[in-house]
Amino acid sequence: MSRDNATIVRRFVDEVITQGNIEAAGQYVWEDVIEQVPLPGQGPGLDGLKGILRAMRAGFPDIVFSIEEQVAERDKVASRFEWTGTHRGEFLGIPATGRAVRVWGMVIDRLEDGRIKDTRIIMDTFGLLGQLGALPSPATP
C-alpha cells in the first residue's frame, strides 16, 4: 500500500505540476483536501490547490518539479523535492524578472483510498524570494 501511495504522489507531481494538467488534480487529490501550510493566497480544498498551481505555472511556465527522495509508510508519503523554472510572469506579487530559480522543499502527504487527503509542504520561500531579487541584500559588516 505505501509503495502505491508513493507512486500516486509521483504521478501527481509529473502530470499535474510538471506537465501542467491541473484539471487532472482531482484524480489524485480529494475535493476537501487540507493544506496544513498553505502558500500565500492559497484558498481551501482542491480549488485552492488548483489556484496556487495555476499561479505557479503562470509565474514559471517552464516549471519542472522533481522528487529527489521519497519515504512511504502506511498512509503517509514524505518527499524531498526540488523545482526549477524561469520567472516569466507575476508570482506572489512579484513582476516577472526573467531569472532562473532552483527551490528545494519537503512535503508530507496523507492518502485515503488512493488520493491525497491532507498535505504539509515546507518550501524554501526565502531562497525563492532571494533568487528573484525580492529581498534586500544582507548588510556587510
Side-chain angles (χ1 to χ4, degrees), residues 13 60 76 87 127 129:
V13 164
F60 304 91
K76 291 188 179 164
H87 188 214
L129 294 174

Side-chain angles (χ1 to χ4, degrees), residues 8 11-17 19-30 46 49-50 53-54 114-116:
I8 291 164
R11 286 182 181 153
F12 167 77
V13 164
D14 183 53
E15 181 176 356
V16 177
I17 300 174
Q19 293 178 32
N21 186 5
I22 294 171
E23 289 310 310
Q27 296 173 30
Y28 303 97
V29 178
W30 288 101
L46 179 59
L49 175 63
K50 287 180 180 180
L53 292 176
R54 283 187 192 100
R115 289 197 279 170
I116 298 167

Side-chain angles (χ1 to χ4, degrees), residues 1 21 23 36 47 56 61 71 81-82 91 101-102 109:
M1 164 90 91
N21 186 5
E23 289 310 310
Q36 301 290 340
D47 288 338
M56 287 185 77
V71 177
F81 65 82
E82 180 177 274
F91 184 67
V101 299
R102 180 176 302 272
D109 295 308

Side-chain angles (χ1 to χ4, degrees), residues 15-94:
E15 181 176 356
V16 177
I17 300 174
T18 297
Q19 293 178 32
N21 186 5
I22 294 171
E23 289 310 310
Q27 296 173 30
Y28 303 97
V29 178
W30 288 101
E31 185 73 32
D32 61 348
V33 65
I34 296 171
E35 174 58 66
Q36 301 290 340
V37 185
L39 289 170
Q42 182 176 350
L46 179 59
D47 288 338
L49 175 63
K50 287 180 180 180
I52 200 69
L53 292 176
R54 283 187 192 100
M56 287 185 77
R57 287 204 62 82
F60 304 91
D62 60 345
I63 191 170
V64 174
F65 197 102
S66 302
I67 294 177
E68 303 295 320
E69 293 181 87
Q70 198 172 54
V71 177
E73 186 173 313
R74 293 187 296 278
D75 61 347
K76 291 188 179 164
V77 178
S79 305
R80 182 179 66 82
F81 65 82
E82 180 177 274
W83 66 266
T84 59
T86 309
H87 188 214
R88 303 230 182 263
E90 183 179 318
F91 184 67
L92 297 178
I94 303 166

